[in-house]
Amino acid sequence: MGKFIIADNQELTRYALEQLIGHDSAGETYSAYDKAGLVCLLKDHGDAVVVIDYTLFDITDEEQLLIIAERFPQSQWVLLSEELTPQFMRRVVYSSRRFSIVFKDGMLRDIRDALLTALRGERFVSQRVMEAIIDQRQEDEKPDLLTATEIEIVKGIALGKTTKEIAAERFSSIHTVTTHRKNIFRKLGVNTAHEVVKYALRAGLIDASEFYI
């Protein structure tokens, strides 16, 4: 019987994972709702399998994720998300063999295999993830430049504004701003708003003197 830490802030996903784990491996499950809680659980259960949706958690970038994993060398990790950039997946896969990756909207068989494989101390990477990583190799060039509208939205993100607030300021719909956000994430090859701002600052897309992050 293994131990699993579910680090996902979607209640339905947590429930489904608990049922799946209980049915397939009769494993113990613990829930973490933020980074501090996750680290606290790992201190007590350092050999657990961590099932995490990185995009919904308060871990700022892949570097921080890898650092936490290194602190607990007996842990195994299953990254379970609806959307991860190929750059992120490639970095994680190449950095550590303790990370499995599957998509939430993928086959149930893949999710089950990832959990059981991680429980054995091995890595599982779904076919769809591997295809995304391989495709990215062929397009591994400088990301497209952001449009003027996208830069303005990045500035709003840097100021901590919500999608609703940015939409109201621009007299746009929330759907339109959400689409722009997705395009920004894709172009910059990032997964979180924090990474967007860091990249934009490094690239000089926004003025560092304007923001305190």
Side-chain angles (χ1 to χ4, degrees):
M1 183 173 69
K3 292 179 287 187
F4 293 82
I5 297 173
I6 301 174
D8 191 307
N9 290 321
Q10 290 181 328
E11 187 173 355
L12 182 60
T13 301
R14 287 200 312 273
Y15 176 78
L17 287 170
E18 288 169 358
Q19 299 305 306
L20 189 61
I21 290 167
H23 180 271
D24 286 356
S25 64
E28 298 178 56
T29 60
Y30 307 88
S31 292
Y33 300 94
D34 55 28
K35 180 177 61 179
L38 173 59
V39 171
C40 185
L41 282 171
L42 281 168
K43 288 178 179 177
D44 293 331
H45 309 286
D47 59 346
V49 175
V50 179
V51 187
I52 184 169
D53 187 338
Y54 164 83
T55 63
L56 298 179
F57 228 60
D58 63 336
I59 295 176
T60 55
D61 53 32
E62 69 266 27
E63 192 65 39
Q64 192 173 86
L65 179 68
L66 291 168
I67 288 171
I68 295 173
E70 285 304 310
R71 286 182 59 188
F72 304 96
Q74 300 304 312
S75 63
Q76 293 289 325
W77 296 70
V78 177
L79 301 183
L80 179 64
S81 179
E82 292 181 359
E83 189 173 333
L84 291 170
T85 62
Q87 296 94 328
F88 172 87
M89 293 187 291
R90 184 174 61 182
R91 169 78 190 283
V92 171
V93 166
Y94 289 172
S95 296
S96 174
R97 292 193 60 80
R98 291 189 289 122
F99 281 87
S100 298
I101 307 179
V102 286
F103 287 112
K104 276 186 179 178
D105 61 350
M107 301 289 291
L108 179 61
R109 179 182 65 249
D110 284 346
I111 298 173
R112 176 179 283 116
D113 288 348
L115 296 173
L116 294 176
T117 300
L119 195 58
R120 296 195 301 267
E122 301 171 4
R123 178 168 71 183
F124 178 90
V125 179
S126 73
Q127 180 65 30
R128 183 174 153 200
V129 170
M130 287 304 303
E131 289 173 355
I133 292 173
I134 291 170
D135 289 345
Q136 180 59 33
R137 287 177 182 171
Q138 301 170 359
E139 302 177 3
D140 196 13
E141 300 175 354
K142 185 177 179 180
D144 298 334
L145 293 177
L146 300 184
T147 66
T149 296
E150 289 166 345
I151 291 173
E152 289 303 312
I153 290 174
V154 169
K155 289 180 179 179
I157 294 171
L159 289 170
K161 296 177 182 177
T162 65
T163 298
K164 183 177 180 179
E165 290 171 334
I166 294 172
E169 288 181 355
R170 299 188 58 80
F171 302 101
S172 300
S173 69
I174 293 176
H175 173 74
T176 297
V177 175
T178 298
T179 300
H180 281 306
R181 282 175 61 102
K182 288 182 178 180
N183 289 335
I184 291 166
F185 281 34
R186 175 184 57 79
K187 288 181 178 182
L188 300 185
V190 298
N191 296 280
T192 67
H194 184 82
E195 290 176 293
V196 167
V197 179
K198 283 173 57 178
Y199 190 106
L201 285 168
R202 289 198 305 267
L205 299 176
I206 58 178
D207 187 350
S209 65
E210 298 180 49
F211 304 98
Y212 300 92
I213 61 172

